Amino acid sequence: MASTPKIYVAIVGVGLVGSEFINQLLSIPSSPFHLVSLTSTTRTIFNHSHPISSAWKSDLSASADRPDLHKLTQQLSALVSPTQKVALIDNTSSEDVAALYPTWLSTGISVITPNKKAFSSDVALYDQIVAASRTGGRFLNEATVGAGLPVIGTLKDLVTTGDKRSFGVKMRARSCSLFVPVVATSGGDSHAQQVIKIEGVFSGTMSYIFNEFSTGKADGPAFSSVVKIAREKGYTEPHPADDLNGFDVARKLTILSRIIASPSLPKLQSFASVETASLIPPALENIPTGDEFIARLPEFDAHFAEMRAAASAAGQVLRFVGVVDVVNGRVRAGLEKYPTTHPFATSLGGSDNIIMFHTERYGARPLIVQGAGAGAAVTAMGVLGDLLKLT
Amino acid sequence: MASTPKIYVAIVGVGLVGSEFINQLLSIPSSPFHLVSLTSTTRTIFNHSHPISSAWKSDLSASADRPDLHKLTQQLSALVSPTQKVALIDNTSSEDVAALYPTWLSTGISVITPNKKAFSSDVALYDQIVAASRTGGRFLNEATVGAGLPVIGTLKDLVTTGDKRSFGVKMRARSCSLFVPVVATSGGDSHAQQVIKIEGVFSGTMSYIFNEFSTGKADGPAFSSVVKIAREKGYTEPHPADDLNGFDVARKLTILSRIIASPSLPKLQSFASVETASLIPPALENIPTGDEFIARLPEFDAHFAEMRAAASAAGQVLRFVGVVDVVNGRVRAGLEKYPTTHPFATSLGGSDNIIMFHTERYGARPLIVQGAGAGAAVTAMGVLGDLLKLT
């Protein structure tokens, strides 16, 4: 219970998020962490006796060692002991790095990451990760959804404190009486769920595009011009189709669905199992470059303008949302319409994420988390928040 | 790293929140917790060999033992060992129970509670608690602000991952570029803060009253009638002055301010040091009963109606908010005006809490948490979420 021993930290990936994370980590006063290893795409350093300092960039570029994750696994697992924790921070978006999580976890190394791949790809990998973490290291992935926003932690609290009552009439009765306590009766239907539905704008890119494009008015800027500006500002991937396909949202929904793990939800084989309504016009499905894609997108402006006008006529806005609908057993991503009085219309701005948790306890008025859901500073903060949970 | 030993849990307070908490706790499948003690205002049970089950109510009322917190301290501290955690859950709102936290913490017992008293009263008690927790048990108090909403946890993450850069021009430059990473430079001005301002509707009672009273229109129901209905629904304390004095909000602000612990904030001697603008008309300051208070409140309806009309004329609503203004070094609770387009006007409803964190990293668009901030079910969930952090 007294003073905690130092925790050894190794970082793979030193790009935008990685660099920001290292700087945040090294700024912690009286830090409980020893940074022992860095790995970029071209170099690596490992030094467990002299922890890495703020001169890390020059130290790393001066290193003659090439990245070797299998050697790193050996070096780190040699440090693990019953009294010594080791954390590996994966700040890449690599499938190859993700594939090593079960190995790391089973040797007692904890894995902390904003990389969505391991938790949203093949369910076999995910199951291995969960199994390895039961007896080995911990895995923490708050920053995979909403960056530094408290999304995964909130969902885990909702799920682990779930009282598994059946809902329906009960839920309706509670909706207008937040102050009147409902005493839970333990036991009951184990298939019933505390979480009823999660609904949100999970992509900062999609948030920006539709906050600009659809404000409730019948007209506005052309869809293609909004996408073009978003790309120029660096809000989209180099090829905007990589955002407009909805896969980023499908991956985040997969991560959340697997945490809920309700028998009423489909067991997602991978993020590809999510019902995802891509925004890429079929004629532009296989355009090889972003420039070409942007050049041809205006051909479809009339189509998007029509949807906007129809929504406006009904007092609605368009938003690209993700929904985990536990009650109806559906996980879907796509463009949906919301009244102009809905928080997705009134409260959202910039490239914010907004996530609504509809649960039994929160009744008719959901728990809402909102804020920047992308960017290196807030993503690194989400990762560091997880690392601090190991202390 | 392998299987965790059981954690012994003792609960003081079995009222609305306490009962709900016990039922939630006993519903956890493969629970890592052993419930060893319950204490009500009139009885206590302690049984470390046969953990308490769902028959707890009859067991407790059948007990001949009177509550004795000093004896409980001895019983629990005897269970603490380097491999054995013990948690005391204070589900009361008692100052007397709060005064024992330093003793419990220093013997290695962790304290988890929705009771605001210890963290918002005399700073000497708070300092003792913090000091005792450094070498002893942990204290976790998520449910003291916003019940089950992730407020304290989010603030702690913001503070502990804070990079302590100076702000000003930098902040403005970042406000419209959430996707463009700002690489932090470590070191710098240690007086600068990651958290710039926290602003929110922290009282469910005040939220309900002003959501009903001030909608942006020039007229509406009389203030006294809204308070009367809120009281009838059980949303206020039996004596509504206990809500209208703003002390509940001042206590919550004190808790948040002490977590931020910025040298630019006043060191609050207690919640009474918060600049609190009470809503109790001076002439009604010392009305002894709630009934009398409600009977006389209509005398002041014109005053509140005038404020509402003035706000409406300026396109604003009235909300009773709490503000921790780190930059300007002020902590205040009172009635303020917000544009009808502000989330406090558009997004708020029912008796929801809404809390905005303005920070350097989140730039011009704050991190927002919203939802029910009171009620036994969500408060118990906040407490149980904390308890699960000990596993």
Side-chain angles (χ1 to χ4, degrees), chain B residues 130-146:
Chain B
V130 172
S133 72
R134 288 224 176 87
T135 54
R138 293 174 66 184
F139 73 91
L140 293 160
N141 59 351
E142 179 62 82
T144 56
V145 182

Side-chain angles (χ1 to χ4, degrees), chain B residues 109-380:
Chain B
I109 300 165
S110 291
V111 175
I112 298 171
T113 186
N115 180 357
K116 292 184 281 291
K117 297 290 160 57
F119 316 107
S120 59
S121 302
D122 194 331
V123 71
L125 175 59
Y126 183 71
D127 288 345
Q128 283 171 33
I129 287 169
V130 172
S133 72
R134 288 224 176 87
T135 54
R138 293 174 66 184
F139 73 91
L140 293 160
N141 59 351
E142 179 62 82
T144 56
V145 182
L149 299 176
V151 177
I152 303 257
T154 299
L155 179 60
K156 283 185 180 168
D157 277 354
L158 289 167
V159 170
T160 51
T161 66
D163 43 297
K164 299 190 186 300
R165 288 162 296 172
S166 60
F167 41 78
V169 179
K170 261 190 188 170
M171 192 183 85
R172 212 167 308 128
R174 204 176 316 146
S175 63
C176 52
S177 59
L178 294 174
F179 275 69
V180 181
V182 176
V183 177
T185 47
S186 59
D189 179 2
S190 69
H191 288 257
Q193 292 298 320
Q194 158 71 5
V195 177
I196 295 166
K197 186 168 77 168
I198 301 175
E199 183 169 23
V201 174
F202 289 96
S203 154
T205 310
M206 291 289 205
S207 180
Y208 173 84
I209 290 173
F210 286 98
N211 293 343
E212 294 289 314
F213 179 70
S214 177
T215 59
K217 293 184 194 147
D219 53 11
F223 185 74
S224 64
S225 76
V226 173
V227 175
K228 189 164 180 278
I229 292 167
R231 186 174 181 240
E232 284 161 6
K233 288 188 171 182
Y235 288 9
T236 71
E237 298 291 329
H239 196 321
D242 292 337
D243 292 297
L244 297 178
N245 61 18
F247 287 171
D248 172 72
V249 177
R251 283 193 181 274
K252 289 167 178 166
L253 297 177
T254 304
I255 294 170
L256 300 178
S257 298
R258 288 175 177 173
I259 291 170
I260 299 172
S262 164
S264 64
L265 282 173
K267 174 119 177 161
L268 301 171
Q269 195 54 42
S270 81
F271 73 93
S273 318
V274 172
E275 302 170 39
T276 306
S278 165
L279 290 184
I280 304 171
L284 303 188
E285 276 290 359
N286 297 304
I287 303 289
T289 71
D291 285 341
E292 244 176 297
F293 184 87
I294 287 289
R296 294 215 28 209
L297 200 53
E299 296 169 28
F300 304 90
D301 278 341
H303 165 71
F304 286 102
E306 222 167 84
M307 284 198 290
R308 172 171 62 193
S312 171
Q316 295 171 321
V317 298
L318 301 171
R319 293 291 180 265
F320 194 93
V321 298
V323 181
V324 180
D325 184 340
V326 182
V327 174
N328 299 302
R330 286 184 63 192
V331 186
R332 64 181 196 273
L335 206 56
E336 300 204 4
K337 287 179 272 187
Y338 293 88
T340 51
T341 54
H342 190 277
F344 291 1
T346 62
S347 186
L348 208 59
S351 52
D352 273 7
N353 283 188
I354 183 168
I355 296 106
M356 289 187 159
F357 299 86
H358 299 266
T359 76
E360 286 185 75
R361 286 197 198 113
Y362 281 93
R365 297 194 51 81
L367 190 168
I368 302 176
V369 174
Q370 181 182 337
V378 293
T379 304

